[in-house]
Amino acid sequence: MNRCVTAMHFDIFTLFPEAFDGPLRCSIVGRAIDRGLLSVGVHNIRDYASDRHRVCDDYPYGGGAGMVLKPEPVFVAAESVLNWSAADGEPPCPIVLMTPQGRTLTQNLVSELAESPRLALVCGHYEGVDERIREHLVTDEISIGDYVLTGGELPALIILDAVSRWIPGVLGDEDSVQEDSFANGLIEHPHYTRPVAYRDWTVPEVLRSGDHGEIARWRRQQSLLRTQQRRPDLLERISLTREDTKLLDAQT
Ligand code: 9D3
């Protein structure tokens, strides 16, 4: 499957750079940065505004509610950080605009983004961005789902988080990125750890049997059943083996 060959670099363009301070220091992403597998430049769009008050938004032509992100600071920020000019044509890496009108993020799209060694993410934070940013600067527009947020900062962090998992060495176990839910089109089986009995609730016998064939079958069956119950849409998109059909039928 698609995975990138080396470390990755992200450039994030935002009016709220402080939104990235905490998340980039935590957990797996924080460790990936410490280990040099991932590097992130967080760029304040406001630093690239040319007027005295460094204004980045303005009223919409034609009227209406809300403010619109001005083109100039965004173009100047992206062009200087990427060391490129929009007049030259193709940018050196994908420039992704975070917007509710974009393609919905999926694990497939994440794995495609992970093929690029460098990604630029532009976060809007107003009712909209000037259309010329879409037409002449960005190469992709992505939404993280059908709900309304206050800006593109959390969506950018979500893309960074999901893509980071595809960088070799970021996850402890190199195979887990492939094994994960959605990679095989099913949701996960239940997990248990010690103690074997918590209050009155015990761990299923099969998981303690030591019979790895039986355990794999049980887990597959649980994945199939859960997917059927909770995400029938996922089940329709994969082809079940005869064994899968048997496991599903055995339960009903
Ligand atoms: C009235 C039209 N609104 C769109 C639903 C305007 C609007 C509201 C909120 C425009 C931008 C925003 C802020 N959201 C994002 O920038 C955003 C977002 C989101 O709200 N949901 C899912 N994915 C994303 S990516 C960026």
Side-chain angles (χ1 to χ4, degrees):
M1 268 247 256
N2 345 291
R3 56 173 52 182
C4 58
V5 289
T6 180
M8 266 189 89
H9 182 76
F10 282 80
D11 288 298
I12 297 172
F13 300 91
T14 174
L15 290 163
F16 299 92
E18 63 277 15
F20 296 85
D21 294 347
L24 293 180
R25 274 189 282 113
C26 288
S27 184
I28 293 172
V29 166
R31 194 167 57 240
I33 293 172
D34 290 341
R35 292 165 62 204
L37 299 171
L38 171 66
S39 53
V40 186
V42 179
H43 313 284
N44 192 342
I45 294 168
R46 221 169 133 77
D47 293 343
Y48 298 87
S50 56
D51 65 303
R52 198 158 59 85
H53 295 106
R54 302 195 301 159
V55 173
C56 291
D57 62 331
D58 207 339
Y59 298 98
Y61 271 113
M67 300 296 274
V68 175
L69 187 60
K70 288 164 71 68
E72 197 209 35
V74 182
F75 271 89
V76 173
E79 288 175 315
S80 36
V81 167
L82 299 180
N83 192 22
W84 157 82
S85 162
D88 301 341
E90 284 287 280
C93 69
I95 304 177
V96 181
L97 177 67
M98 308 313 306
T99 166
Q101 293 130 51
R103 272 211 279 174
T104 308
L105 190 66
T106 61
Q107 186 70 350
N108 251 328
L109 180 47
V110 167
S111 73
E112 280 175 32
L113 293 170
E115 287 175 30
S116 176
R118 186 173 192 183
L119 285 177
L121 307 179
V122 179
C123 309
H125 208 101
Y126 298 111
E127 281 303 293
V129 307
D130 188 282
E131 191 64 16
R132 288 161 292 192
I133 295 172
R134 298 175 191 283
E135 285 180 341
H136 305 294
L137 180 66
V138 307
T139 60
D140 302 273
E141 299 181 36
I142 297 178
S143 158
I144 60 161
D146 294 340
Y147 34 83
V148 184
L149 303 170
T150 59
E153 284 74 19
L154 290 170
L157 281 165
I158 283 166
I159 289 187
L160 183 141
D161 187 286
V163 168
S164 298
R165 301 177 71 263
W166 290 81
I167 303 170
V170 164
L171 296 182
D173 173 8
E174 272 308 290
D175 295 324
S176 36
V177 65
Q178 295 293 344
E179 269 174 31
D180 264 327
S181 324
F182 304 113
N184 69 5
L186 296 174
I187 59 175
E188 261 183 274
H189 56 76
H191 298 276
Y192 291 90
T193 185
R194 291 185 293 180
V196 70
Y198 176 64
R199 302 191 180 179
D200 269 348
W201 308 306
T202 53
V203 174
E205 198 67 53
V206 57
L207 296 178
R208 295 182 283 143
S209 67
D211 182 339
H212 296 292
E214 219 20 70
I215 291 169
R217 240 182 328 277
W218 181 86
R219 286 180 167 165
R220 181 77 187 174
Q221 182 179 47
Q222 291 296 313
S223 277
L224 288 162
L225 286 167
R226 286 202 160 178
T227 308
Q228 188 176 56
Q229 282 160 5
R230 302 178 188 191
R231 293 293 306 275
D233 59 306
L234 289 181
L235 213 52
E236 277 165 31
R237 285 196 276 160
I238 64 164
S239 46
L240 299 181
T241 65
R242 210 169 308 133
E243 174 71 8
D244 287 338
T245 312
K246 253 194 271 171
L247 287 172
L248 271 173
D249 291 344
Q251 205 48 229
T252 51

